[in-house]
């Protein structure tokens, strides 16, 4: 795994309010994407994403967005290929992480899976063909 965080995703209760806060209130530059269920902000060296908390929990494979260990925050590590996703997930599990969601083709056109590190933080490892 390369030493970088591609995206920090915050699970939010009110996407419209949170988007307005970060874009208008803090002046973060937005990055438009298709659909209206997620907001992205381009930062120096990484991205900030806002996604409905319930949907973020579902994406990880959790049945309860208030589940112990789920703080409403995920970290994402983007890689160059599907095989790299599998390799990083394997590396994380070998290092003591728990595989939460095996990698698979996802609704937005990429390939991703999740692991939980030894301290309970959720990481998405993703290949984005776009």
């Amino acid at each position: 795994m390369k030493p970088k965080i591609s995206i920090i995703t915050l699970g939010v209760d009110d996407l419209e309010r949170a988007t307005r806060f970060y874009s208008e209130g803090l002046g973060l530059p937005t990055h438009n994407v298709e659909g209206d269920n997620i907001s992205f902000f381009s930062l120096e060296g990484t991205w900030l994403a806002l996604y409905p908390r319930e949907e973020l929990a579902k994406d990880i494979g959790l049945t309860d967005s208030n589940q112990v260990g789920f703080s409403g925050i995920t970290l994402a590590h983007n890689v160059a290929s599907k095989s790299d996703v599998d390799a990083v997930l394997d590396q994380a599990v070998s290092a003591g992480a728990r595989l939460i969601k095996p990698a698979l083709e996802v609704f937005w056109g990429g390939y991703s899976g999740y692991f939980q590190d030894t301290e309970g933080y959720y990481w998405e490892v993703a290949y984005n063909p776009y």
Side-chain angles (χ1 to χ4, degrees), residues 20 42 66 75 79 86 90 117 122 125:
R20 203 170 37 252
S42 178
N66 293 314
L75 305 168
V79 293
D86 295 327
D90 289 345
D117 74 11
Y122 292 93
V125 181

Side-chain angles (χ1 to χ4, degrees), residues 11-117:
V12 298
D13 292 320
D14 185 330
L15 181 61
E16 186 177 319
R17 179 184 65 205
T19 300
R20 203 170 37 252
F21 171 78
Y22 283 98
S23 64
E24 296 172 17
L26 297 183
L28 298 183
T30 59
H31 179 77
N32 295 328
V33 294
E34 288 186 30
D36 57 354
N37 204 29
I38 191 165
S39 295
F40 286 104
F41 301 89
S42 178
L43 308 178
E44 292 182 17
T46 193
W47 292 83
L48 175 67
L50 305 177
Y51 195 53
R53 184 180 175 89
E54 293 287 327
E55 295 301 314
L56 185 58
K58 285 180 196 174
D59 191 49
I60 294 170
L62 304 176
T63 57
D64 180 4
S65 67
N66 293 314
Q67 184 169 328
V68 173
F70 180 60
S71 63
I73 297 172
T74 61
L75 305 168
H77 181 71
N78 288 7
V79 293
S81 70
K82 292 178 185 180
S83 62
D84 288 345
V85 170
D86 295 327
V88 171
L89 288 173
D90 289 345
Q91 178 184 10
V93 170
S94 293
R98 191 174 113 204
L99 183 64
I100 300 298
K101 179 181 175 184
L104 50 87
E105 302 284 335
V106 290
F107 71 94
W108 48 267
Y111 182 76
S112 78
Y114 283 90
F115 69 85
Q116 188 176 33
D117 74 11

